[in-house]
Each structure stands twice: as C-alpha cells, then as structure tokens.
Amino acid sequence: MKLQVRGFEIHKGLLDAAAQRGILDAVRKVVAQAPFFRPDTPYGKPMSVRITAAGVYGWFSDKAGYRYVPAHPSGKPWPAIPGEVLSIWSQVTALDRMPECCLINYYGPDARMGLHQDRDEAEMQWPVVSISLGDDGLFRMGNVTRGGKTESIWLQSGDVVVMGGDARLAYHGVDRIRPGSSRLLPKGGRLNLTLRVVT
Ligand code: SIN
Ligand code: FE2
C-alpha cells in the first residue's frame, strides 16, 4: 500500500519478513566492519541515536557541524552499500543514479530525532529513501520552512519512505519509538537506513 503525505511517499509493508531479515543480515555485516557510535551535535550534546554508515561517504556530526566523511571514526573506509539495499533504491526511485551514502541509525528505547531537514548533500534534487526495521517509530512530517502544522505516522518494520519532490527539503523527525513492537531485532530497538546521493 502506498500513502502520500505532504509529498512523502510511504510504501507501507514494502518489505516482507524474509526481505527484512535479508537486509538485517546485510546491516550486521556492515556494523561488524563499522561499529555504531554516538555522534555529538554541533551544540555539544550527544545525539540519542547511534549511527554508522555504508557507502563512499558516511554522514557525521561533531562540534564542527554536520557533514559527509569518507571514513568511519576508526579511520577505515565505510563498507560498501549492500546490494539488497541498492535494489530497494532502484525499485522505489527508478533512477539510474545510485546513492553514495547509506546512513544507519539505531534507536534504543529512549532515542528520538528532532525535526530537521536533510540538506548536507551537494545537490538536493535527488530523493532520500528511508527503510525502517524493528520497532515502530513515530515519524513526524512538517513543512519546508520551520514551524507550522505537522502530520505523524507510525513507521513499521518493512516500511519504505521516499522523500523527493516537495518532501525533499521538508522538516521531519522521529518523536519516539514503541519498544517491544517488533521481534525482528532480538534485543529490540529500531533501525533506520537512509540512502542519499551526496556529491
Ligand atoms: C532521518 O531523518 O535521518 C531518520 C528518519 C527515521 O529514522 O525514520
Ligand atoms: Fe533526515
């Protein structure tokens, strides 16, 4: 089922259980090479999500600001974006251009992500594709300018969101997760993968 909310294209239940497990296995291989870490915000407070990445670039944040970097904090290059994940990009965008970053966010029971725009990429005409796995997350969608009315939807394991067109620069965030709502991750929590064209 595909929903449209403020230009956000929400493919509910795009990934069946087997596809979710396949992506989870691929994510585990990435995380074995590039362990999760907790970045600092430019304001000095650590983010509540833990992050890592795959691709030529990974998204990164510290006191110097938000940016894309070619290596994990360990100094090693990021692992390649798994083929299963690239297939989802191709399926939902039908683009020849491939993403260069797969940011992987892990939300523990108390993690959240404040409303923000994705605007650290060089060219913002390309969509951002988000894949949700594990516990449900309350995803809030706003406007291209700060403030105003917002709408929220619970994203569940296997849901895929395309943020393109009017939604590409729209504010969005995750208010909270619903711990224990999925059994995909043995220790619980929520994984979100976002695919971005960076350069
Ligand atoms: C993000 O905006 O980077 C994450 C969105 C989500 O976790 O669903
Ligand atoms: Fe985002």
Side-chain angles (χ1 to χ4, degrees), residues 49 103 105 107 113-114 116 118 128 130-132 137 139 155 161 163 172-174 190-194 196:
V49 294
L103 170 64
N105 292 144
Y107 296 73
M113 186 170 294
H116 66 276
D118 287 1
V128 171
S130 134
I131 302 169
S132 293
F139 184 62
L155 292 181
V161 181
M163 299 181 254
H172 58 278
V174 175
R190 173 173 186 263
L191 280 170
N192 179 264
L193 280 54
T194 43
R196 300 114 183 272

Side-chain angles (χ1 to χ4, degrees), residues 57-60 66-70 101 120-122 196-198:
Y57 295 101
W59 186 87
F60 187 75
Y66 304 135
R67 61 198 181 277
Y68 286 95
V69 294
C101 172
D120 304 316
E121 300 73 34
R196 300 114 183 272
V197 173
V198 173

Side-chain angles (χ1 to χ4, degrees), residues 1-12 141 153-155 159-162:
M1 184 191 24
K2 189 163 111 182
L3 306 173
Q4 289 273 358
V5 181
R6 297 167 173 247
F8 290 79
E9 264 179 40
I10 303 165
H11 298 260
K12 288 296 289 177
M141 295 159 281
I153 186 168
W154 282 100
L155 292 181
D159 291 353
V160 175
V161 181
V162 181

Side-chain angles (χ1 to χ4, degrees), residues 85-99 195:
V85 174
L86 292 174
S87 309
I88 296 168
W89 168 275
S90 301
Q91 184 187 343
V92 297
T93 68
L95 291 169
D96 291 326
R97 185 77 145 95
M98 285 290 133
L195 294 163

Side-chain angles (χ1 to χ4, degrees), residues 41-76:
T41 60
Y43 328 106
K45 230 176 92 173
M47 292 179 73
S48 61
V49 294
R50 291 192 288 148
I51 72 170
T52 188
V56 180
Y57 295 101
W59 186 87
F60 187 75
S61 170
D62 63 12
K63 290 188 176 64
Y66 304 135
R67 61 198 181 277
Y68 286 95
V69 294
H72 183 271
S74 67
K76 285 199 286 184

